[in-house]
C-alpha cells in the first residue's frame, strides 16, 4: 500500500509523525538512518518542543524507530526473520522414525532458528501439576488430573535475549509408561515430542495451531529485547492421535517483528462429475 496520512483532522504531533512515517515507508529514510533532531523538527513544522517530542514518542510506539536516553532516534533496523511453517509438523513426524543419529542432529534450533543447539543456552524444566479448569477444558480431561508440564527456553548467549520459549502439557497417564519421558535430564530429546510419544505407542495424526497476539509486558519486552510498539504472537499447538484424543498442547510465544507464521493447507480435489451422454440427457 502506498504511504498515506492518517485521515481526519490531525494535531500537529500526529502530522509530524505521519510525514516521517511516510518517509520511512517510501524509503526516503532507510533502516538505521537518523531522524531529524528535535530542533530541526521544530523549525520544519513550526511546532513546540512538546509537539516534537510527542511525534517522536508516537513513532516509537508504532515500532518504526528506536530511541534511548542520550541516543539519537533512528529508523528501526528489522531483526532477522524466522519462518515457522506448518510443513514442519510432517517433517518432525517423519524424523521421529529415523535412526537416533539423524534425530539428534535436527531439532527446532536447526529447522527454525538456523543455528545448532550448542550455540544456545538451552534449558528445560519438568514438573507434575494438576490441571486447572482452563487446561482441563483444553485437553478434554477432568480438572485435577495430573499433567506433565515441560518448559523450554533458549537464550542467545551473546545478547542474553530469548530465542524461543514454550510450555508443553501432556496428560501424565499418557507418558507414565516410559520413565525416561519424565526425566528432564534426557533433554534435548532426539526427535522431539513426536518421537517421545511414539515410545508409548502414540502416533500424532493431526495438529491444530491457534494464533493470537497482544502487547508484551515490560518483563516480556525485556526478555525478548523488543522495542516499543512490537507485539508478541502466541501459538497454541494442539496434537491429536488417531482417535481424536488430545495428547499434548504446547504454548509458544514469538516476537511479531521477527517471525513469519506460514500455514500450508493441502486441499482435496473436487470429485470429477460423471460425463452424461446425449441419450442420458434426453431421458
Amino acid at each position: 500500500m502506498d504511504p498515506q496520512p492518517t485521515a481526519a483532522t490531525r494535531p500537529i504531533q500526529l502530522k509530524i509523525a505521519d510525514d516521517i512515517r511516510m518517509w520511512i515507508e517510501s524509503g526516503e529514510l532507510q533502516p538505521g538512518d537518523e531522524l531529524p533532531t528535535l530542533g530541526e523538527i521544530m523549525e520544519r513544522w513550526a511546532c513546540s518542543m512538546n509537539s516534537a517530542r510527542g511525534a517522536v514518542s508516537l513513532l516509537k510506539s508504532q515500532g518504526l524507530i528506536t530511541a534511548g536516553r542520550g541516543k539519537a532516534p533512528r529508523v528501526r533496523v528489522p531483526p532477522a526473520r524466522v519462518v515457522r511453517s506448518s510443513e514442519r509438523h510432517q517433517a518432525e513426524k517423519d524424523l521421529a522414525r529415523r535412526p537416533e543419529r539423524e534425530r539428534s542432529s535436527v531439532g527446532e534450533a536447526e529447522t527454525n532458528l538456523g543455528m545448532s543447539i550448542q550455540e544456545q543456552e538451552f534449558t528445560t524444566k519438568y514438573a507434575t501439576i494438576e490441571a486447572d479448569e482452563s487446561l482441563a477444558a483444553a485437553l478434554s480431561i477432568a480438572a485435577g488430573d495430573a499433567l506433565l508440564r515441560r518448559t523450554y527456553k533458549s537464550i542467545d548467549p551473546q545478547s542474553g535475549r530469548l530465542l524461543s520459549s514454550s510450555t508443553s502439557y501432556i496428560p501424565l497417564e499418557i507418558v507414565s509408561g516410559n520413565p525416561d519421558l519424565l526425566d528432564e535430564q534426557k533433554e534435548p530429546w532426539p526427535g522431539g515430542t513426536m518421537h517421545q510419544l511414539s515410545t508409548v505407542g502414540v502416533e500424532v495424526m493431526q495438529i491444530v495451531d491457534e494464533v493470537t497476539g497482544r502487547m508484551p509486558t515490560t518483563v516480556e519486552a525485556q526478555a525478548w529485547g523488543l522495542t516499543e510498539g512490537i507485539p508478541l504472537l502466541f501459538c497454541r499447538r494442539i496434537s491429536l492421535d488417531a482417535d481424536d484424543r488430545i495428547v499434548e498442547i504446547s504454548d509458544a510465544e514469538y516476537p511479531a517483528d521477527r517471525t513469519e507464521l506460514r500455514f500450508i493447507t493441502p486441499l482435496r480435489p473436487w470429485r470429477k462429475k460423471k460425463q452424461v451422454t446425449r441419450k442420458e440427457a434426453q431421458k
Side-chain angles (χ1 to χ4, degrees), residues 168-223:
S168 160
Y169 303 92
I170 302 177
L172 190 63
E173 65 174 5
I174 291 178
V175 292
S176 58
N178 183 354
D180 284 348
L181 301 185
L182 309 179
D183 184 0
E184 66 185 37
Q185 299 302 317
K186 300 293 184 180
E187 294 283 1
W189 186 284
T193 298
M194 291 277 196
H195 185 268
Q196 288 174 317
L197 291 173
S198 74
T199 68
V200 288
V202 174
E203 180 181 3
V204 175
M205 297 299 295
Q206 182 181 6
I207 291 180
V208 179
D209 289 307
E210 298 176 343
V211 181
T212 57
R214 64 166 170 77
M215 298 306 295
T217 65
T218 52
V219 173
E220 291 168 335
Q222 185 179 47

Side-chain angles (χ1 to χ4, degrees), residues 154-165:
S154 287
I155 294 175
D156 183 342
Q158 294 185 343
S159 67
R161 294 172 178 170
L162 273 176
L163 292 168
S164 64
S165 176

